[in-house]
């Protein structure tokens, strides 16, 4: 760490420690925190300032990158809502908080550490290491989730959705569509045997799609032949999860064609018209990640090559994968935050072929 940066947060921490020792109404020990209402705002304001300085030292320029990404997600979501009449396209609650204030989400895990350091429970020499452990895993997870949301919402925006319908399951295993002004990513009524779209939408040119921004780990349960006894999934409802996701798109032959994506009671699985995923370079070259990627792609039974979006141009699959007849066909797109790079992904699914989720 840069010595000047460490000096800033170290000085701020030491100043807070001295202030807390001298302030009336503040009791701060290794086992107790007590702050009178008269000084509470001042105290926690000073704690927040140390958190900010420490987060800046640990994350550096990534804080600005996160703010830029959060703004990009918000912008593409607003575009969809304004074009289609949606009042809201809701993402996971913690991701919503990240989009609203990415810096605050980065700083939040540090409050307990700062309090412990002020109380003397954590030596100054250990603060930097513990801060990295507290901040980086959560920050990295939120950053990835936000980038995936930008990619998936960007692909949907490229298709120009004009109106949305919510998908309501019926007792006979079918669905009923209800016009809606709110969609929740990854949501469905939790069902053990059925996997449903989170929404159905119709585009400006009258094409109908079912979609779901599904947790990748749930793809195991898109296999109609998966034994029910092995089912430890979320029942298809993954809205609140911060996890690696996959965008699933099914091009329908009109609204009447909407139905379950998987019905394991009837052992029926509808092939996905298009799947889009975001992978990091290390995941494309790591055998364990690659194996899971291939297994999930097979279970999805995609009609078209799996569309893989990477942030940078350096991402590539091993050359041996192209020679493997059993490996899924993939198309890799380097996108960064360029919306134009998502247009070819959307174009892939905007063809004349349609499917019917009812007449299986």
């Amino acid at each position: 760490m840069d010595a000047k940066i460490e000096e800033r947060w170290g000085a701020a921490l030491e100043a807070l420690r001295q202030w807390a020792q001298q302030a009336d109404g503040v009791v701060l020990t290794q086992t107790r925190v007590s702050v009178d209402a008269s000084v509470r705002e001042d105290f926690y304001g000073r704690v927040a300032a140390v958190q900010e300085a420490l987060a800046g030292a640990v994350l550096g320029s990534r804080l600005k990158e996160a703010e830029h990404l959060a703004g990009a997600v918000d912008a593409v979501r607003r575009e969809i809502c304004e074009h289609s009449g949606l009042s809201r396209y809701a993402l996971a609650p913690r991701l919503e908080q990240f989009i609203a204030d990415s810096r605050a989400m980065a700083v939040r895990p540090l409050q307990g550490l700062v309090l412990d350091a002020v109380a003397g429970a954590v030596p100054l020499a250990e603060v930097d290491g513990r801060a990295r452990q507290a901040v980086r895993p959560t920050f990295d997870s939120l950053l990835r989730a936000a980038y995936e949301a930008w990619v998936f919402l960007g692909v949907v925006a490229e298709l120009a959705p004009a109106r949305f319908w919510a998908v309501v399951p019926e007792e006979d295993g079918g669905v009923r569509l209800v016009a809606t002004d709110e969609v929740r990513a990854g949501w469905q009524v939790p069902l053990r045997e059925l996997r449903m779209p989170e929404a159905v939408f119709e585009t400006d040119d009258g094409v109908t799609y079912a979609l779901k921004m599904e947790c990748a780990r749930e793809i195991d349960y898109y296999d109609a032949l998966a034994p029910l006894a092995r089912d430890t999934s979320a029942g298809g409802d993954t809205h609140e999860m911060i996890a690696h996701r996959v965008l699933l798109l099914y091009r329908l032959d009109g609204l009447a064609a909407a139905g379950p994506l998987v019905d394991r009671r009837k052992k029926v699985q509808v092939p996905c018209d298009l799947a889009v995923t975001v992978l990091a370079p290390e995941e494309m070259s790591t055998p364990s990640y690659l194996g899971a990627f291939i297994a999930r792609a097979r279970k999805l039974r995609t009609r078209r090559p799996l569309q893989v979006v990477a942030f940078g141009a350096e991402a590539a699959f091993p050359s041996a994968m192209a020679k493997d007849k059993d490996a899924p066909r993939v198309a890799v797109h380097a996108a960064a935050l360029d919306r134009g790079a998502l247009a070819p992904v959307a174009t892939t699914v905007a063809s004349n072929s349609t499917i019917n989720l009812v007449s299986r």
Side-chain angles (χ1 to χ4, degrees):
M1 180 187 294
D2 185 286
K4 291 184 178 179
I5 295 177
E6 182 172 357
E7 182 180 345
R8 282 198 295 272
W9 69 256
L13 181 59
E14 183 57 33
L16 173 59
R17 182 180 291 173
Q18 292 179 7
W19 180 87
Q21 290 173 347
Q22 299 169 2
D24 292 332
V26 177
V27 178
L28 195 60
T29 70
Q30 295 186 19
T31 58
R32 183 187 175 201
V33 177
S34 176
V35 183
D36 287 351
S38 59
V39 293
R40 191 168 298 151
E41 182 176 354
D42 191 5
F43 173 75
Y44 283 105
R46 291 170 183 267
V47 170
V50 178
Q51 290 175 245
E52 284 274 353
L54 190 52
V58 170
L59 296 172
S61 63
R62 297 184 69 202
L63 283 171
K64 281 293 184 184
E65 294 170 3
E67 290 177 347
H68 185 48
L69 174 57
V73 179
D74 187 53
V76 70
R77 182 167 59 174
R78 287 176 184 273
E79 179 183 333
I80 291 173
C81 291
E82 291 172 2
H83 192 84
S84 66
L86 283 181
S87 63
R88 187 180 183 216
Y89 203 126
L91 302 171
R94 285 177 58 230
L95 185 52
E96 291 282 4
Q97 294 169 7
F98 176 83
I99 293 167
D101 192 338
S102 60
R103 184 175 289 269
M105 286 297 286
V107 165
R108 182 179 298 176
L110 293 173
Q111 185 181 80
L113 175 60
V114 170
L115 291 175
D116 285 344
V118 173
V122 176
L124 186 63
E126 295 182 14
V127 171
D128 175 66
R130 294 199 185 193
R132 293 174 187 276
Q133 292 176 353
V135 167
R136 285 187 169 178
T138 300
F139 188 77
D140 290 345
S141 178
L142 287 169
L143 221 61
R144 175 174 185 146
Y147 186 67
E148 288 180 346
W150 177 81
V151 169
F152 299 158
L153 291 170
V155 171
V156 172
E158 289 293 322
L159 296 172
R163 58 195 63 83
F164 280 84
W165 286 265
V167 180
V168 181
E170 300 279 32
E171 291 185 0
D172 62 0
V175 304
R176 174 167 49 92
L177 298 186
V178 180
T180 185
D181 71 343
E182 181 172 328
V183 176
R184 286 189 285 167
W187 179 85
Q188 75 169 63
V189 173
L191 296 166
R192 189 179 186 192
E193 299 86 1
L194 301 178
R195 291 299 178 268
M196 314 288 287
E198 67 195 45
V200 169
F201 67 90
E202 188 177 72
T203 66
D204 285 341
D205 53 4
V207 180
T208 306
Y209 295 93
L211 86 154
K212 193 165 189 180
M213 298 182 194
E214 185 61 277
C215 278
R217 75 183 197 187
E218 290 287 302
I219 298 304
D220 290 344
Y221 308 101
Y222 277 69
D223 180 357
L225 301 180
L228 293 180
R230 289 173 46 204
D231 192 342
T232 57
S233 77
D237 179 16
T238 63
H239 170 67
E240 294 192 354
M241 296 182 184
I242 294 292
H244 173 34
R245 290 186 181 269
V246 179
L247 171 65
L248 309 179
L249 283 166
Y250 300 77
R251 181 167 169 147
L252 308 182
D253 188 15
L255 295 175
L261 311 175
V262 177
D263 187 334
R264 290 198 290 168
R265 293 171 302 185
K266 299 178 181 178
K267 299 191 183 306
V268 172
Q269 177 185 3
V270 177
C272 180
D273 214 42
L274 189 70
V276 185
T277 189
V278 173
L279 293 177
E282 62 271 17
E283 292 174 322
M284 298 183 187
S285 59
T286 302
S288 60
Y289 287 142
L290 186 60
F293 171 85
I294 292 173
R296 285 168 176 162
R298 286 174 178 162
K299 289 175 181 176
L300 270 177
R301 297 170 53 205
T302 56
R303 291 175 176 269
R304 295 172 173 83
L306 185 55
Q307 304 295 300
V308 178
V309 177
F311 190 87
E314 73 280 0
F317 286 98
S319 58
M321 182 173 164
K323 302 173 185 177
D324 185 348
K325 293 186 295 183
D326 295 326
R329 301 303 94 187
V330 299
V332 181
H333 309 263
L337 282 176
D338 176 14
R339 272 287 301 278
L342 301 181
V345 182
T347 300
T348 303
V349 76
S351 65
N352 292 326
S353 61
T354 59
I355 57 178
N356 192 317
L357 300 189
V358 175
S359 301
R360 299 185 288 267

